[in-house]
Amino acid sequence: MQFMNTAHLLFFVFLLALLGAPACSDSGGDGVGGGGLAATGGTAGAGAGVGLGGAGGGTGAGGPCTLGDRACADTEHELICEPTDDEPHWVIQPCATHHYCIVDRCEPACLDECAIGATQMVDGQQEICQLYSTATQAFITPSDGMHDRSRLHDAWMREHQLANGYVAEALHTDVSYAAVAAYLGTVDSAEWTGTYLAAEALRLMATRSPDSERMVETLVESVHELFEVTGEAGSMARIWAPQGEDPLLDALYDPNDWSHHLTTFQGGSAFWHGWTSRDMYAGIMVGLGLAYDALSSETHREMIRQDVVPLAMELIKERPQVPVTVRFHFAGDWQEQELLFDMEHVVLVPDEMVNGRVFIQIGTDDSSSDYNASELLGAREFLPNFTTALGQVPLFGPLLPPIPRPGSAMMLANFMRVALQVTEGDPSWASERAAIDAHYQANRDGWLEIMKQYAYHNENECWKQYFGMTIAYHPIYSLIRLEPDGPFKTSLQQDVLGAKMWPTIADHFNAYFTYIAASQGPTGLVPAPTLEQTAVQLGQFVAPPKARIAVDNTGNYPADPQCPGLSSVPVSIGDRVPMDFIFQHHPFRLTTPDPEPRLVHAGADYLVAYWLGRYHGQLTDDGPDTCLRWDAE
């Protein structure tokens, strides 16, 4: 009996250590009693976007209408209510060349219709997508402005950075960047693909570009496949790829990696990467919420519902007596203990269970004390209070205090809010919506109290695990944006974002965080000089390719005597060490770790920050009266 007590105590100590120290940036860990991560969402927010028709959907071509009414089917098609033999019906008509559906009809407009540098064949003649000026009525060279830089990053992303449609890092054969030798960083593909989707959705709502509309639809289809390929409701892959079609995609599959699963998908052999951490869900959900608001395609909106609603339904499900195996090293040998937990706010992943049980291994076979490498298999958990699970450990569990996890509370609340967003007014999802709403209303005040305990614990530890703040900013943006006005939203703005999250990073030149705080926080949270400085900083962002070149700021910034290799003040974005997503890395690093100029990081970080600023009116268009059009060579 004494052994059992000691074992449970070690198990509890391990979990505290594990929660406070995730192994790597894809683990999405919550700090005990503090902040860490989060997730997603979106509803029509007050934006500075062009008031064009199409967003929001709801009018079906061919359905009944009032004679003379007009509407937009999408950016390139208008709807006109015309008489028929029985009653008036909507008739869809395409817009003429360089005309787009604005408000309720096709009108001439200068909107991006393609990605810069793209080519197509029309009637045997090649056309290239180039920048066009309505002022000069001629094609022009892109400027060094922020809008044109977004166009260049977007085009580079599509040409070089998408592995089977998912954002990846690209290792090129040489620094001419003409050919990709390998895709890297795909362990984080889901999060950055969701972030890229968010950027394109914001661009669509800000400009109504038909090019962005097509890209949002394409990315929604790709995200939908991440949920489909696993075959389990609520379970999502990090990435998937067909096998036997492209050597670069074939190379992503590692037969020695237990989290890589072979399957048959879309009629052929495929693999998907599982063990999907919560930060992957965070990025995906913020993208889906924004895409739902931006799109007019009911087909794609339904895809979003089919992804979001089953996830929410799995999370609100009460699961009694879930079999759990805990493996730990004690008294010189490995021990296994089988327990039964009542669980809620989890998604079970049978493909990753061990002998039909959720499996927790403390440490590794090579190092039983390497807690950071410990594994939780068979479930995705989003527990706002970890004691709801640990409290069930026999003997010792009932003695545990609450272990609040603000990031998980943000994620969970946001999952529910996005599910409510996408089911509003849809009778086919009425029963699921009612269940989700009941759960949300019953729990959201308790989750709010946990969110108010958000804190970043590593400021005095050389800013390690800075990524945890980024993961929290994903869902807090979405949650506040979607929540209707009222005391709950006000508290999110003031007591969570304003009082707890923003102060830590207010001077970090982090445009992603700044534009979230400015658009979703209480009025005046971000002062005008900070917004002006943020625009200047974002304007320093490198044009593509964003290569992992050697950077050495030693001597240019004051060294931090407590943190070797770090500056004591934030490094300007123009001098920043290139990283995969610079807004998930602290701004104090002085030199590039392991430079490799052939490795190019995706520009989703620039795109999401830029289009956040544009949509919410914190940035103005520095390239007005220009757009991307096809030019016959």
Coordinates of all heavy atoms in Angstrom, one line a residue, residues 260-296:
H260 N 2.9 8.2 -37.5 CA 2.6 8.2 -39.0 C 1.7 7.0 -39.3 O 2.1 5.9 -39.0 CB 3.9 8.2 -39.8 CG 4.6 9.5 -39.8 ND1 5.5 9.8 -40.8 CD2 4.6 10.5 -38.9 CE1 6.0 11.0 -40.5 NE2 5.5 11.5 -39.4
H261 N 0.6 7.2 -39.9 CA -0.4 6.2 -40.2 C -0.6 6.0 -41.7 O -0.8 7.0 -42.4 CB -1.7 6.5 -39.5 CG -1.6 6.8 -38.1 ND1 -1.7 5.8 -37.1 CD2 -1.5 8.0 -37.4 CE1 -1.6 6.4 -35.9 NE2 -1.5 7.7 -36.1
L262 N -0.5 4.8 -42.1 CA -0.8 4.5 -43.5 C -2.3 4.2 -43.6 O -2.9 3.5 -42.7 CB 0.0 3.3 -44.0 CG 1.5 3.5 -44.3 CD1 2.2 2.2 -44.8 CD2 1.6 4.6 -45.4
T263 N -2.9 4.6 -44.7 CA -4.3 4.4 -44.9 C -4.6 4.4 -46.4 O -3.8 4.7 -47.2 CB -5.1 5.5 -44.1 OG1 -6.5 5.1 -44.2 CG2 -4.9 6.8 -44.8
T264 N -5.9 4.2 -46.7 CA -6.4 4.4 -48.0 C -7.3 5.6 -48.0 O -8.2 5.7 -47.2 CB -7.2 3.2 -48.6 OG1 -6.3 2.1 -48.6 CG2 -7.7 3.5 -50.0
F265 N -7.0 6.6 -48.8 CA -7.8 7.9 -48.7 C -7.9 8.4 -50.1 O -7.0 8.4 -50.9 CB -7.1 8.9 -47.8 CG -7.9 10.1 -47.5 CD1 -9.1 10.1 -47.0 CD2 -7.4 11.4 -47.9 CE1 -9.9 11.2 -46.7 CE2 -8.1 12.5 -47.6 CZ -9.3 12.5 -47.0
Q266 N -9.1 8.9 -50.5 CA -9.4 9.4 -51.8 C -9.0 8.4 -52.9 O -8.5 8.8 -53.9 CB -8.8 10.8 -52.0 CG -9.3 11.8 -51.0 CD -8.7 13.2 -51.3 OE1 -7.8 13.4 -52.0 NE2 -9.3 14.2 -50.6
G267 N -9.2 7.2 -52.6 CA -9.0 6.1 -53.6 C -7.6 5.7 -53.8 O -7.3 4.9 -54.8
G268 N -6.7 6.1 -53.0 CA -5.3 5.7 -53.1 C -4.6 5.5 -51.8 O -5.1 5.8 -50.7
S269 N -3.3 5.1 -51.9 CA -2.5 4.9 -50.7 C -2.1 6.3 -50.1 O -1.8 7.2 -50.9 CB -1.3 4.1 -51.0 OG -0.4 4.1 -49.9
A270 N -2.2 6.5 -48.8 CA -1.9 7.8 -48.2 C -1.3 7.6 -46.8 O -1.4 6.5 -46.3 CB -3.1 8.7 -48.2
F271 N -0.7 8.6 -46.3 CA -0.3 8.6 -44.9 C -0.8 9.8 -44.2 O -1.0 10.9 -44.9 CB 1.2 8.5 -44.7 CG 1.9 9.8 -44.4 CD1 2.2 10.1 -43.1 CD2 2.2 10.7 -45.4 CE1 2.8 11.3 -42.7 CE2 2.8 11.9 -45.1 CZ 3.1 12.2 -43.7
W272 N -1.0 9.8 -42.9 CA -1.3 11.0 -42.2 C -0.5 11.0 -40.9 O -0.3 9.9 -40.3 CB -2.8 11.1 -41.9 CG -3.5 10.0 -41.1 CD1 -4.0 8.8 -41.6 CD2 -3.8 10.0 -39.7 NE1 -4.5 8.1 -40.6 CE2 -4.5 8.7 -39.4 CE3 -3.6 10.9 -38.7 CZ2 -4.9 8.4 -38.2 CZ3 -4.1 10.5 -37.4 CH2 -4.7 9.3 -37.2
H273 N -0.1 12.2 -40.5 CA 0.6 12.3 -39.3 C -0.3 12.7 -38.1 O -1.0 13.7 -38.2 CB 1.7 13.5 -39.5 CG 2.7 13.6 -38.4 ND1 3.7 14.5 -38.5 CD2 2.8 13.0 -37.2 CE1 4.4 14.4 -37.3 NE2 3.9 13.5 -36.6
G274 N -0.3 11.9 -37.1 CA -1.2 12.1 -36.0 C -0.4 12.7 -34.8 O 0.4 13.5 -34.9
W275 N -0.8 12.2 -33.6 CA -0.3 12.8 -32.3 C -0.5 14.3 -32.4 O 0.4 15.1 -32.1 CB 1.1 12.4 -32.1 CG 1.5 12.5 -30.6 CD1 0.7 12.4 -29.5 CD2 2.8 12.8 -30.1 NE1 1.4 12.5 -28.4 CE2 2.7 12.8 -28.7 CE3 4.1 13.0 -30.7 CZ2 3.9 13.0 -27.9 CZ3 5.2 13.2 -29.9 CH2 5.1 13.2 -28.5
T276 N -1.7 14.8 -32.8 CA -1.9 16.2 -33.1 C -2.1 17.0 -31.9 O -3.0 16.8 -31.1 CB -3.1 16.3 -34.0 OG1 -3.0 15.4 -35.1 CG2 -3.3 17.7 -34.5
S277 N -1.1 17.9 -31.6 CA -1.2 18.7 -30.4 C -2.2 19.8 -30.5 O -2.7 20.1 -31.6 CB 0.2 19.3 -30.2 OG 0.7 20.0 -31.3
R278 N -2.5 20.4 -29.4 CA -3.6 21.4 -29.3 C -3.3 22.7 -30.1 O -4.3 23.3 -30.5 CB -3.9 21.6 -27.8 CG -4.5 20.4 -27.1 CD -4.6 20.7 -25.6 NE -3.4 20.9 -25.0 CZ -3.2 21.3 -23.7 NH1 -4.3 21.5 -23.0 NH2 -2.0 21.5 -23.2
D279 N -2.1 23.0 -30.2 CA -1.8 24.2 -31.0 C -2.2 24.1 -32.5 O -2.5 25.1 -33.1 CB -0.3 24.7 -30.8 CG 0.7 23.5 -30.9 OD1 0.3 22.4 -30.9 OD2 1.9 23.8 -30.9
M280 N -2.2 22.8 -32.9 CA -2.6 22.6 -34.3 C -4.1 22.9 -34.4 O -4.6 23.6 -35.4 CB -2.4 21.1 -34.7 CG -1.0 20.6 -34.7 SD 0.1 21.6 -35.8 CE 1.0 22.6 -34.6
Y281 N -4.9 22.5 -33.4 CA -6.3 22.8 -33.4 C -6.5 24.3 -33.3 O -7.4 24.9 -33.9 CB -7.0 22.1 -32.3 CG -7.3 20.7 -32.5 CD1 -6.3 19.7 -32.2 CD2 -8.5 20.3 -32.9 CE1 -6.6 18.4 -32.3 CE2 -8.8 18.9 -33.1 CZ -7.8 18.0 -32.8 OH -8.1 16.6 -33.0
A282 N -5.6 25.0 -32.5 CA -5.8 26.4 -32.3 C -5.7 27.2 -33.6 O -6.5 28.1 -33.9 CB -4.7 26.9 -31.3
G283 N -4.7 26.9 -34.4 CA -4.5 27.6 -35.7 C -5.6 27.3 -36.7 O -6.2 28.2 -37.4
I284 N -6.0 26.0 -36.7 CA -7.1 25.6 -37.6 C -8.4 26.3 -37.3 O -9.1 26.8 -38.2 CB -7.3 24.1 -37.6 CG1 -6.1 23.4 -38.3 CG2 -8.6 23.7 -38.2 CD1 -6.0 23.6 -39.8
M285 N -8.7 26.4 -36.0 CA -10.0 26.9 -35.7 C -10.2 28.4 -35.9 O -11.2 28.9 -36.2 CB -10.4 26.5 -34.2 CG -10.6 25.0 -34.0 SD -12.2 24.5 -34.8 CE -13.3 25.1 -33.6
V286 N -9.1 29.1 -35.7 CA -9.2 30.6 -36.0 C -9.4 30.8 -37.4 O -10.1 31.7 -37.9 CB -7.9 31.3 -35.4 CG1 -6.7 31.1 -36.2 CG2 -8.2 32.8 -35.4
G287 N -8.7 29.9 -38.3 CA -8.9 30.1 -39.7 C -10.3 29.7 -40.1 O -10.9 30.4 -41.0
L288 N -10.9 28.6 -39.6 CA -12.2 28.2 -40.0 C -13.3 29.2 -39.6 O -14.2 29.5 -40.3 CB -12.6 26.8 -39.4 CG -11.8 25.6 -39.9 CD1 -12.2 24.4 -39.2 CD2 -12.0 25.5 -41.4
G289 N -13.2 29.8 -38.4 CA -14.1 30.8 -38.0 C -14.2 32.0 -38.9 O -15.2 32.5 -39.3
L290 N -13.0 32.5 -39.3 CA -12.9 33.6 -40.2 C -13.4 33.2 -41.6 O -14.1 34.0 -42.3 CB -11.5 34.1 -40.2 CG -11.0 34.9 -39.0 CD1 -9.5 35.1 -39.0 CD2 -11.7 36.3 -39.0
A291 N -13.0 32.0 -42.0 CA -13.4 31.6 -43.4 C -14.9 31.5 -43.5 O -15.5 31.8 -44.5 CB -12.8 30.2 -43.7
Y292 N -15.6 31.0 -42.4 CA -17.0 30.9 -42.4 C -17.7 32.3 -42.7 O -18.6 32.4 -43.4 CB -17.5 30.3 -41.1 CG -19.0 30.0 -41.2 CD1 -19.4 28.8 -41.7 CD2 -20.0 30.9 -40.7 CE1 -20.8 28.4 -41.7 CE2 -21.3 30.5 -40.7 CZ -21.7 29.3 -41.2 OH -23.1 29.0 -41.3
D293 N -17.2 33.3 -42.0 CA -17.7 34.7 -42.2 C -17.4 35.2 -43.6 O -18.2 36.0 -44.2 CB -17.1 35.6 -41.2 CG -17.8 35.5 -39.8 OD1 -18.9 34.9 -39.8 OD2 -17.2 36.0 -38.9
A294 N -16.2 34.8 -44.2 CA -15.8 35.4 -45.4 C -16.5 34.8 -46.6 O -16.7 35.5 -47.6 CB -14.3 35.3 -45.5
L295 N -16.8 33.5 -46.6 CA -17.3 32.8 -47.7 C -18.8 33.0 -48.0 O -19.6 33.1 -47.1 CB -17.0 31.3 -47.6 CG -15.5 31.0 -47.7 CD1 -15.3 29.5 -47.4 CD2 -15.0 31.3 -49.1
S296 N -19.1 32.9 -49.3 CA -20.5 32.8 -49.7 C -20.9 31.4 -50.1 O -22.1 31.1 -50.2 CB -20.8 33.8 -50.8 OG -19.9 33.5 -51.9

